[in-house]
Structure formats: C-alpha cells, structure tokens
C-alpha cells in the first residue's frame, strides 16, 4: 500500500528514522551513568514502549494513572508516574497496580504520602516514591531544601512505601534555543541538586535515583553525570519545536499526511486542523511528498482545516502534503493509530493504546 493511499489526515512515521533515533539515544548514553526511562506521553503506544525496553530502557515514565494502567496491561514491568496522585479512588487503584509491577509515583505533600501508605498497606503492596523537588518550572514539587528533607524522612518511615530519591524535571529549559543557555541553566540546577543530595546524606537519607530531563537536555545531562534517569520522549519523533534547536542527534520521523482539498488564489486549504494537529508550541513545517519544505507567507489552523497563504509550491487539488507537527506529544494524543512507512510504502500500523488517557 502506497503512503498516498491512506485516508487523510493520517499520522505517519518513517520507520527507518524512528529506529535510527532510538539507536542514537542509546549510543549517546552508552558508557554513561544515565539510564533512559522514556516518557510515554510522547508516543502513547505500548508497542513502542516495549521496543524501548528491549533496547535498554530501565523502565517507562508516564504522566497519568491511566497511562500507567495501559503500560502495565501491556506487560511493562517498571513504571514511573512522574506526577502526584491524590484522589482517594486513584490512590486505591495505584496501590493495586503496585502489585502488578514495580510502580513509582511522585509526592510533594506529607498527607498524600500517608494516604499512599495506607492504601498500600490495605492492598498488601509496596509503592516506590520519588519526592519531587521544584527545580524552576513553578509547578509541582518542594522548593525549600529543609522541607524536602523532612518530607523524604517522613516517606522513609511510612509503611509499604520506599523512598527512592528525587524527581526534578526542568521542562522550562528543554526548548531554550541556545545550547549555551540550556547548559547554563542545567549547571545551575545541578548545583542546587548536589547541595540537596548532600543535605539528605547528612540527614542519613540515601538518594538512589535522580530522575528527570528531556530531549532538549539529554546530551547535557549525559555528559554531566548527575542524573541517574532521563525522561526524554520526543527524541523518537521530534517536531518543529525541537527541530529549531538544530544540535540534537535526532531527526523528524513523525508527520501528518494531509490532502489539498481547496484552492482559491494564493490560499491553499489542507484537510487537517486542531482536531488532528497539535499547535500548542511552534508552528508546523510543511513538506512535499519528496521532503522539500513548502514555505508560506503565513498560516492559520481551524478545527478541520489548515490554511496556507501563498505557498511557494504550485499545489493542486488532491495533492498530498506532509506536516511536521509543532508538538509531537499533543499531536499523537489526537490519533488512534500510527502508520509506519518506508520508501513510500506503508509497512505497519501501531495502535496508540493510551490515546486520550489523561486521568
């Protein structure tokens, strides 16, 4: 089946580039103390998670309990929920899941830790815990080192909980355009984390795991030698936002296949909008089926359509256009399946098993 024979819009990935990106990540980490724990939110596909594990990932990171359920149901044996779970029903379910695999969750509150301990005791399971340190995202986490130590100590004393270490995700650094700026911020954060680790050791608390990081800081963290786990996910697919950085050993493998459905003067309309294309970061990039970039004066995206104003290619009705999404993670979550292709031929179809699992 030819790629152009798919009904559009269709989410597609170049299998050769996808596999090359996986190998490039493992090559970057070879001989380093940093282990890959890739983030599931980027692909939401159990088949890809298993491939990552086969290539050497220590486990899989996910954002939500439902994603963890999907991974565990698919047979993944080591899962980190890099988030807080506080709803009583969700805590009960988390405790049950902890009896099916090695399950880790993040906390930044003592009462939440107590609730996790109680649920684990009732379920007869063990929950591993990373206490989250607020590293600059102004999101979740404990910002004060002394309060962090107190919470880590508390977790260490609670029944059926195991304190493994620190969650410190500096997502705000990931897309900084300058490599020097990313390195500077990462070095500053590393100094704070080293100080925190020393304070924990001084209080008799060992840190076995320091987990975080992203595609944009993957090389820096591998060279730094401080983190033990890398939560990169976008390296698989890349997108126009990461492409703009230009200094990563990964290439764009993910595209949205679209069709020209209308033309009017300098305006060309594609059959893909915000219901099939993530537009929450940089603008997408448009390519011909030969991979040549289509430059436009400007663009606009509606629910079902993408409007290209004055494209520099003479596109005709029925022509196909490949779109490099601005954000691969939010784009994947809009689709039920991912088609793999090689040399213009569809060679496989993968179910996006965690599509829409956001609870």
């Amino acid at each position: 089946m030819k790629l152009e024979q798919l009904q559009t819009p269709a989410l597609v990935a170049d299998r050769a580039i996808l596999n090359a990106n996986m190998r490039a990540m493992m090559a970057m980490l070879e001989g380093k103390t940093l282990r890959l724990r890739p983030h599931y939110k980027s692909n939401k596909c159990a088949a890809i998670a298993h491939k990552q594990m086969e290539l050497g990932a220590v486990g899989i990171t996910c954002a939500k309990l439902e994603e963890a359920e999907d991974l565990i149901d698919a047979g993944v044996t080591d899962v980190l929920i890099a988030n807080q779970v506080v709803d009583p029903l969700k805590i009960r379910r988390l405790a049950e899941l902890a009896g099916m695999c090695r399950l880790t969750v993040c906390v930044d509150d003592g009462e939440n830790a107590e609730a996790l301990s109680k649920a684990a005791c009732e379920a007869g399971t063990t929950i591993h815990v990373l206490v989250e340190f607020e590293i600059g995202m102004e999101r979740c986490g404990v910002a004060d080192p002394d309060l962090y130590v107190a919470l880590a100590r508390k977790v260490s004393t609670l029944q059926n909980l195991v304190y493994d270490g620190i969650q410190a995700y500096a997502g705000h650094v990931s897309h900084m355009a300058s490599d020097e700026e990313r390195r500077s911020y990462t070095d500053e954060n590393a100094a704070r984390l080293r100080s925190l680790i020393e304070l924990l050791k001084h209080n008799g608390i060992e840190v076995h795991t320091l987990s975080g990081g992203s595609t944009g800081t993957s090389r820096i963290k591998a060279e730094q030698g401080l983190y033990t786990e890398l939560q990169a996910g976008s390296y698989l697919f890349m997108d126009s936002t990461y492409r703009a950085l230009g200094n990563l050993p990964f290439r764009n493998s993910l595209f949205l296949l679209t069709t020209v459905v209308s033309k009017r003067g300098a305006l060309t309309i594609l059959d893909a909008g915000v219901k099939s294309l993530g537009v929450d970061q940089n603008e997408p990039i448009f390519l011909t089926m030969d991979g040549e970039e289509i430059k436009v004066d400007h663009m606009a995206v509606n629910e079902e359509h993408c409007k290209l104003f004055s494209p520099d290619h003479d596109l005709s009705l029925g022509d196909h256009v490949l779109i490099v999404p601005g954000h691969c993670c939010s784009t994947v979550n809009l689709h039920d399946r991912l088609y793999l292709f090689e040399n213009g031929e569809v060679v496989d179809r993968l179910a996006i098993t965690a599509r829409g699992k956001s609870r």
Side-chain angles (χ1 to χ4, degrees), residues 24-36 218 222 230:
M25 176 59 83
M26 300 316 296
M28 180 192 297
L29 301 182
E30 187 175 0
K32 303 293 194 298
T33 57
L34 187 63
R35 300 289 302 278
L36 180 64
S218 55
L230 176 67

Side-chain angles (χ1 to χ4, degrees), residues 10 13 32 75 85 95 107 124 172 183 186 191-192 229 231 243 253 260 276 313 318 321 331 335 341:
K32 303 293 194 298
V85 177
V107 303
H172 59 298
R183 287 181 180 274
T186 303
R192 292 180 61 201
E229 291 183 354
Q231 296 175 6
R243 177 170 171 159
S253 68
V260 176
S276 56
H313 281 65
V321 172
T331 298
H335 296 266
F341 70 92

Side-chain angles (χ1 to χ4, degrees), residues 38-86:
H39 214 305
Y40 198 45
K41 68 182 176 67
S42 297
N43 65 82
K44 287 180 169 278
C45 177
I48 291 177
H50 276 294
K51 180 67 173 178
Q52 291 171 312
M53 295 286 287
E54 290 169 10
L55 290 174
V58 67
I60 304 294
T61 305
C62 63
K64 296 297 180 73
L65 184 66
E66 281 191 322
E67 289 182 344
E69 286 182 311
D70 184 61
L71 286 164
I72 295 165
D73 185 62
V76 175
T77 58
D78 194 325
V79 177
L80 162 65
I81 303 174
N83 215 329
Q84 287 67 28
V85 177
V86 301

Side-chain angles (χ1 to χ4, degrees), residues 35-294:
R35 300 289 302 278
L36 180 64
R37 184 182 284 275
H39 214 305
Y40 198 45
K41 68 182 176 67
S42 297
N43 65 82
K44 287 180 169 278
C45 177
I48 291 177
H50 276 294
K51 180 67 173 178
Q52 291 171 312
M53 295 286 287
E54 290 169 10
L55 290 174
V58 67
I60 304 294
T61 305
C62 63
K64 296 297 180 73
L65 184 66
E66 281 191 322
E67 289 182 344
E69 286 182 311
D70 184 61
L71 286 164
I72 295 165
D73 185 62
V76 175
T77 58
D78 194 325
V79 177
L80 162 65
I81 303 174
N83 215 329
Q84 287 67 28
V85 177
V86 301
D87 179 85
L89 291 178
K90 290 181 180 179
I91 289 174
R92 187 184 308 165
R93 179 58 177 153
L94 188 151
E96 294 171 352
L97 291 171
M100 304 175 192
C101 75
R102 187 187 194 280
L103 185 59
T104 308
V105 69
C106 295
V107 303
D108 62 4
D109 178 82
E111 290 185 6
N112 181 214
E114 290 173 357
L116 290 167
S117 172
K118 183 176 184 292
C121 288
E122 291 173 350
T125 59
T126 298
I127 300 172
H128 293 260
V129 173
L130 297 180
V131 174
E132 185 160 6
F133 186 57
E134 206 291 286
I135 199 68
M137 283 204 73
E138 298 183 347
R139 204 163 63 182
C140 301
V142 181
D144 182 270
D146 291 325
L147 293 178
Y148 183 99
V149 170
L151 180 54
R153 182 185 292 113
K154 182 183 184 70
V155 169
S156 300
T157 62
L158 289 171
Q159 287 185 293
N160 294 56
L161 298 189
V162 176
Y163 172 75
D164 276 345
I166 303 168
Q167 162 82 5
Y169 176 69
H172 59 298
V173 181
S174 304
H175 295 123
M176 291 178 175
S178 164
D179 184 67
E180 290 74 17
E181 189 177 18
R182 271 179 280 130
R183 287 181 180 274
S184 175
Y185 271 87
T186 303
D187 286 343
E188 289 177 14
N189 288 339
R192 292 180 61 201
L193 287 165
R194 287 192 177 96
S195 177
L196 176 63
I197 291 170
E198 285 302 313
L199 184 61
L200 286 162
K201 288 182 178 178
H202 179 73
N203 283 270
I205 302 170
E206 290 295 323
V207 176
H208 301 290
T209 300
L210 175 53
S211 192
S214 62
T215 296
T217 57
S218 55
R219 188 194 299 276
I220 301 169
K221 281 185 164 52
E223 295 170 355
Q224 198 176 61
L226 177 62
Y227 276 69
T228 65
E229 291 183 354
L230 176 67
Q231 296 175 6
S234 298
Y235 76 96
L236 287 171
F237 297 140
M238 300 296 283
D239 48 37
S240 70
T241 304
Y242 270 123
R243 177 170 171 159
L245 300 186
N247 58 355
L248 297 169
F250 314 113
R251 294 187 292 153
N252 293 114
S253 68
L254 185 77
F255 310 93
L256 188 65
L257 178 69
T258 66
T259 303
V260 176
V261 293
S262 183
K263 281 185 65 69
R264 186 173 66 256
L267 178 62
T268 299
I269 309 296
L270 306 179
D271 64 344
V274 296
K275 289 182 177 178
S276 56
L277 180 68
V279 293
D280 52 311
Q281 292 186 356
N282 283 11
E283 287 191 353
I285 296 171
F286 306 93
L287 307 173
T288 67
M289 294 303 290
D290 294 327
E292 185 178 353
E293 184 172 348
I294 300 169

